[in-house]
């Protein structure tokens, strides 16, 4: 068995090596959604990282003589407002660039918190089962009965809006997904022969959990985390739209849309561009997620 | 079957208790509630008097029991903004939400199942590709943005439909369509993939070799089996639908419970926040129960006793 395994691995590696550029192009053609998604995400991440360099103006700088200016390529000697200005005369392009940066930062922090907590709990619930497992999985059930939006409303009503509170709300709404996946993965992986072999060799519980179970569940977890980035970007935008997310004057795509809704009749561009940015980001991440799923988790592939 | 229903019904109070506990803990975290009612320079004796009247000098478990027993009796406290009992305010906003959400949920379930079935039986056709692309796009689009763009096109530019508020049928068109773009895609994609999967099953082969017509196989065997995961997911989607309701009501200024709860947060009206969150959570729990019971009656394999 080990011979045939290494054999097929060797030949596929050889194929790729001999293929060179042509091989890479062929691979990209077979994984279109992965490549498209990764390209979009790369653009979004670059924009987020270099927002201070790319932005033509200060996103908070108000210019009351230039309120609600439509998008234009020219202006008298000054930097033009490429995507127009908002009700305070702030440059929309600059605000979108910074909002992207803030949205990604908030979402990635929330996923770091929720995935580490969720994975740990799911691993413990699946590995030890018994009373620990029951308590954790009942908590999961309860969390799932409480819709994320209601939790957000309650937490923000009590603690008010701030970036850390937003991260906490997103993290609380997200951990359940990881716990459920990790729980079911652990239940099945711990029955595998290699886990029994490791146990027979005297490996500690911690070592088995981290080295064998967690590592083998990694593919499924990466797919879930990627798709969750998209969902949380939408959720963050929705909360900011409702005034429960990023507090003003910090730029955020959701709150820009909320302002845009109020001046829709006179300044439609204000609601148009931030929305397009969200669609672009989320579409890219969803493509990447389904591409990753095809590679990492063939079980989950949908016909 | 009836024992299963009773057991699931008995779980409801525990789920509701869990939610009230979370709300209670969060509110106690907030600090001294008398700060909301009294000016900062109020004399300490008055503050102490108020703490006593509100029962805040009692041990925490006793406070929680009083909190829950008041709720059970329908006393959620006074809404400071509306100057009415919070429950009365919430109840008066329920009809608007039920009308909009009921319409969207029923239409969404029917459209999701019918279009998913059409998509699966015409796999690879232009129709299938259009439906799948719209679904993927719909899932990547913030529904409030769609709502705003619809207002821009149909209310501001074309002036065909009203932009906001509640009234005749024309007020329902845009909010319902926005909700459908949010609710239909997951159902459609799920029905499509489970029908495609079931069509490869042995029992379909058997039915076909018996000489059963394709139509009979599809409706008699495949659809019935595809409905089970769909019903579960529709039940699970209730939480998501609630989010959709809050957002859609806000975009279209629809006078419902979702918009009310967001406004209550803005007004720092805690009694109203509590009342609307508890009522909405009970509604979600009930919907999950209905989905579970419907599922159990469809699938004899589910252990119901």
């Amino acid at each position: 068995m080990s011979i045939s395994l290494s054999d097929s691995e060797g030949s596929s590696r050889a194929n790729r090596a001999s293929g060179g550029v042509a091989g890479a192009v062929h691979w990209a053609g077979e994984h279109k959604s992965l490549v498209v998604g990764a390209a979009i995400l790369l653009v979004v991440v670059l924009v987020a990282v270099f927002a201070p360099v790319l932005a033509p103006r200060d996103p908070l700088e108000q210019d009351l003589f230039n309120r609600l200016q439509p998008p234009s390529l020219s202006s008298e000697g000054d930097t033009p407002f490429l995507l127009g200005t908002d009700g305070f005369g702030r440059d929309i392009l600059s605000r979108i660039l910074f909002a992207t940066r803030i949205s990604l930062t908030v979402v990635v922090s929330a996923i770091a918190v929720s995935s580490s907590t969720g994975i740990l709990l799911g691993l413990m619930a699946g590995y030890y089962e018994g009373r620990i497992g029951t308590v954790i999985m009942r908590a999961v059930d309860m969390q799932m009965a409480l819709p994320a939006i209601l939790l957000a409303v309650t937490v923000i009503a009590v603690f008010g809006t701030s970036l850390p509170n937003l991260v906490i709300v997103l993290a609380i709404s997200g951990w359940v997904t990881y716990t459920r996946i990790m729980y079911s993965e652990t239940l099945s992986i711990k029955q595998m022969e290699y886990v029994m072999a490791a146990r027979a060799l005297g490996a500690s519980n911690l070592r088995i959990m981290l080295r064998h179970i967690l590592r083998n569940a990694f593919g499924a977890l990466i797919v879930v985390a990627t798709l969750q980035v998209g969902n949380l970007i939408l959720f963050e935008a929705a909360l900011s739209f409702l005034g429960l997310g990023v507090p003003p004057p910090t730029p955020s795509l959701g709150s820009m849309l909320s302002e845009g809704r109020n001046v829709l009749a006179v300044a439609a561009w204000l609601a148009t561009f931030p929305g397009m940015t969200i669609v672009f980001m989320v579409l890219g991440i969803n493509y990447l997620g389904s591409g990753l799923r095809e590679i990492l988790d063939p079980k989950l592939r949908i016909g | 079957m009836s024992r299963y229903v009773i057991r699931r019904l008995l779980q409801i109070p525990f789920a509701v208790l869990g939610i009230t506990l979370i709300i209670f803990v969060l509110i106690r975290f907030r600090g001294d509630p008398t700060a909301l009612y009294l000016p900062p320079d109020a004399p300490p004796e008055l503050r102490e008097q108020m703490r006593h009247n509100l029962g805040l000098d009692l041990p925490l478990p006793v406070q929680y029991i009083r909190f829950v027993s008041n709720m059970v009796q329908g006393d959620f406290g006074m809404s400071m903004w509306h100057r009415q009992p919070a429950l009365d305010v919430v109840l008066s906003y329920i009809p608007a939400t039920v009308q909009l959400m009921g319409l969207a949920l029923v239409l969404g379930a029917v459209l999701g199942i019918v279009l998913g079935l059409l998509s699966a039986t015409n796999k690879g056709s232009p129709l299938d590709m259009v439906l799948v692309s719209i679904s993927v796009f719909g899932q990547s689009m913030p529904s409030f943005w769609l709502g705003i763009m619809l207002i821009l096109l149909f209310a501001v530019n074309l002036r065909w439909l009203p932009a906001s508020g509640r009234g005749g049928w024309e007020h329902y068109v845009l909010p319902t369509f926005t909700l459908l773009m949010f609710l239909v895609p997951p159902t459609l994609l799920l029905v499509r993939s489970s029908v495609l999967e079931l069509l490869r099953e042995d029992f379909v082969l058997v039915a076909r070799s018996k000489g059963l017509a394709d139509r009979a196989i599809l409706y008699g065997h495949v659809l019935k089996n595809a409905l089970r995961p769909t019903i579960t997911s529709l039940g699970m989607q209730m939480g998501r639908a609630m989010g959709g309701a809050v957002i859609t009501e806000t975009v279209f200024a629809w006078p419902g419970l979702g918009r009310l709860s967001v406004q209550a947060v803005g007004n720092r009206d805690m009694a109203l926040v509590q009342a609307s969150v508890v009522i909405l959570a009970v509604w979600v729990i009930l919907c999950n129960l209905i989905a579970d019971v419907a599922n159990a009656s469809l699938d004899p394999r589910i252990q119901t006793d």
Side-chain angles (χ1 to χ4, degrees):
Chain A
M1 197 181 88
S2 67
I3 293 170
S4 73
L5 245 179
S6 62
D7 214 45
S8 72
E9 236 172 47
S11 68
S12 78
R13 202 172 293 150
N15 270 345
R16 208 171 294 160
S18 69
V21 176
V25 169
H26 177 72
W27 185 87
E30 275 192 345
H31 300 94
K32 261 188 218 115
S33 69
L34 182 78
V35 173
V36 171
I40 293 179
L41 191 64
L42 185 70
V43 171
V44 172
V45 169
L46 285 178
V47 162
V49 172
F50 294 107
V53 186
L54 292 170
R57 285 161 194 275
D58 179 349
L60 300 178
E61 183 197 294
Q62 301 189 3
D63 180 352
L64 295 180
F65 291 108
N66 279 315
R67 294 171 62 221
L68 298 179
Q69 291 294 313
S72 83
L73 285 169
S74 60
S75 71
E76 302 96 39
D78 217 353
T79 329
F81 298 108
L82 283 178
L83 300 183
T85 64
D86 68 5
F88 295 100
R90 297 175 294 200
D91 181 38
I92 291 185
L93 175 61
S94 307
R95 285 181 72 72
I96 287 182
L97 295 177
F98 273 90
T100 307
R101 179 184 171 97
I102 285 160
S103 176
L104 271 194
T105 315
V106 165
V107 165
V108 169
S109 333
I111 288 186
V113 176
S114 66
S115 64
S116 50
T117 321
I119 289 171
L120 184 71
L121 289 173
L123 193 57
M124 276 169 42
Y127 192 79
Y128 293 111
E129 293 184 81
R131 201 176 293 163
I132 300 177
T134 312
V135 169
I136 293 174
M137 296 320 283
R138 282 291 87 69
V140 166
D141 289 346
M142 210 150 83
Q143 171 77 59
M144 287 183 55
L146 185 63
I149 188 83
L150 296 187
L151 191 84
V153 165
T154 317
V155 171
I156 299 303
V158 174
F159 297 105
T161 53
S162 76
L163 287 182
N165 290 355
L166 182 59
V167 171
I168 291 171
V169 166
L170 296 181
I172 297 179
S173 73
W175 68 276
V176 176
T177 320
Y178 298 97
T179 308
R180 293 178 68 207
I181 298 264
M182 199 60 221
Y183 177 69
S184 63
E185 289 280 319
T186 308
L187 283 183
S188 68
I189 294 175
K190 83 173 181 184
Q191 307 294 340
M192 297 282 176
E193 279 177 17
Y194 56 79
V195 172
M196 283 181 215
R199 188 168 294 144
L201 285 170
S204 67
N205 282 338
L206 191 67
R207 188 182 163 87
I208 292 175
M209 281 200 266
L210 296 182
R211 274 200 77 110
H212 297 280
I213 298 180
L214 184 57
R215 218 180 244 195
N216 281 293
F218 206 65
L221 290 171
I222 282 287
V223 173
V224 172
T226 312
L227 292 172
Q228 209 181 36
V229 175
N231 286 335
L232 288 191
I233 287 177
L234 287 177
F235 193 39
E236 183 272 311
L239 289 177
S240 297
F241 175 77
L242 296 172
L244 307 174
V246 177
T250 314
S252 123
L253 298 169
S255 54
M256 290 173 81
L257 280 176
S258 156
E259 200 200 330
R261 191 222 174 282
N262 297 330
V263 293
L264 204 52
V266 287
W269 59 88
L270 194 47
T272 311
F273 297 119
M276 285 164 68
T277 313
I278 300 175
V279 175
F280 181 71
M281 277 161 78
V282 178
L283 212 54
I285 286 157
N286 285 349
Y287 273 132
L288 181 70
S290 59
L292 280 176
R293 171 154 60 190
E294 277 167 27
I295 293 178
L296 291 174
D297 201 355
K299 268 185 310 194
L300 293 173
R301 201 179 300 176
I302 299 169
Chain B
M1 186 67 206
S2 57
R3 276 178 67 188
Y4 174 74
V5 176
I6 290 169
R7 209 181 62 210
R8 287 289 281 109
L9 276 173
L10 286 178
Q11 287 171 1
I12 291 180
F14 291 100
V16 177
L17 269 185
I19 287 160
T20 57
L21 184 63
I22 294 173
I23 294 174
F24 178 78
V25 170
L26 283 174
I27 290 171
R28 282 301 165 270
F29 257 120
R30 180 196 169 93
D32 191 359
T34 60
L36 271 178
Y37 299 93
L38 294 173
D41 55 348
E45 309 84 62
L46 188 63
R47 200 171 291 273
E48 212 40 57
Q49 177 69 36
M50 184 152 202
R51 288 179 61 82
H52 180 73
N53 288 347
L54 290 171
L56 294 170
D57 49 354
L58 297 166
L60 278 179
V62 179
Q63 282 191 40
Y64 175 64
I65 291 168
R66 279 178 58 159
F67 179 74
V68 171
S69 71
N70 284 345
M71 271 189 193
V72 170
Q73 292 163 32
D75 178 10
F76 287 83
M78 288 292 282
S79 157
M80 291 194 296
W81 188 263
H82 294 260
R83 299 181 184 283
Q84 275 179 53
L87 187 66
D88 292 358
V89 179
V90 167
L91 291 180
S92 69
Y93 278 76
I94 284 182
T97 296
V98 168
Q99 279 165 12
L100 179 62
M101 288 308 287
L103 182 67
L105 285 171
V106 170
L107 268 180
V110 172
L111 280 177
I113 292 169
V114 170
L115 295 179
L117 200 61
L118 269 178
S119 195
T121 47
N122 298 293
K123 192 183 175 229
S125 69
L127 176 73
D128 176 39
M129 274 147 80
V130 168
L131 286 176
V132 170
S133 326
I134 292 180
S135 301
V136 172
F137 194 71
Q139 283 188 324
S140 305
M141 181 169 50
S143 57
F144 50 97
W145 186 58
L146 175 70
I148 293 172
M149 291 294 112
L150 289 173
I151 293 177
L152 182 61
L153 181 61
F154 291 104
V156 176
N157 289 340
L158 297 172
R159 298 179 182 280
W160 287 352
L161 294 162
S164 61
R166 179 171 169 233
W169 64 270
E170 65 274 13
H171 285 89
Y172 283 84
V173 179
L174 295 183
T176 310
F177 184 78
T178 307
L179 278 167
L180 286 179
M181 272 305 280
F182 176 73
L183 293 172
V184 171
T187 315
L188 189 153
L189 293 176
L190 182 71
V191 170
R192 179 178 182 275
S193 67
S194 40
V195 167
L196 286 178
E197 215 159 273
L198 286 164
L199 284 174
R200 288 196 291 264
E201 291 271 344
D202 287 342
F203 69 82
V204 172
L205 204 65
V206 171
R208 195 161 284 157
S209 60
K210 279 200 308 195
L212 218 55
D214 278 354
R215 188 171 284 267
I217 297 175
L218 198 62
Y219 293 114
H221 296 266
V222 172
L223 186 58
K224 201 174 152 198
N225 281 294
L227 277 182
R228 280 188 297 106
T230 310
I231 289 174
T232 311
S233 115
L234 283 173
M236 305 254 292
Q237 263 204 59
M238 283 313 300
R240 224 180 132 253
M242 214 82 263
V246 172
I247 289 158
T248 311
E249 287 181 5
T250 306
V251 172
F252 293 98
W254 189 267
L257 205 45
R259 181 157 164 265
L260 180 74
S261 64
V262 173
Q263 285 175 338
V265 176
N267 298 335
R268 309 213 138 255
D269 192 343
M270 282 313 292
L272 197 52
V273 171
Q274 276 170 43
S276 46
V277 167
V278 170
I279 298 291
L280 287 170
V282 169
W283 155 256
V284 170
I285 292 170
L286 283 177
C287 287
N288 278 327
L289 172 83
I290 294 170
D292 280 358
V293 170
N295 239 344
S297 56
L298 271 179
D299 187 355
R301 283 174 304 186
I302 291 181
Q303 294 285 318
T304 56
D305 39 45

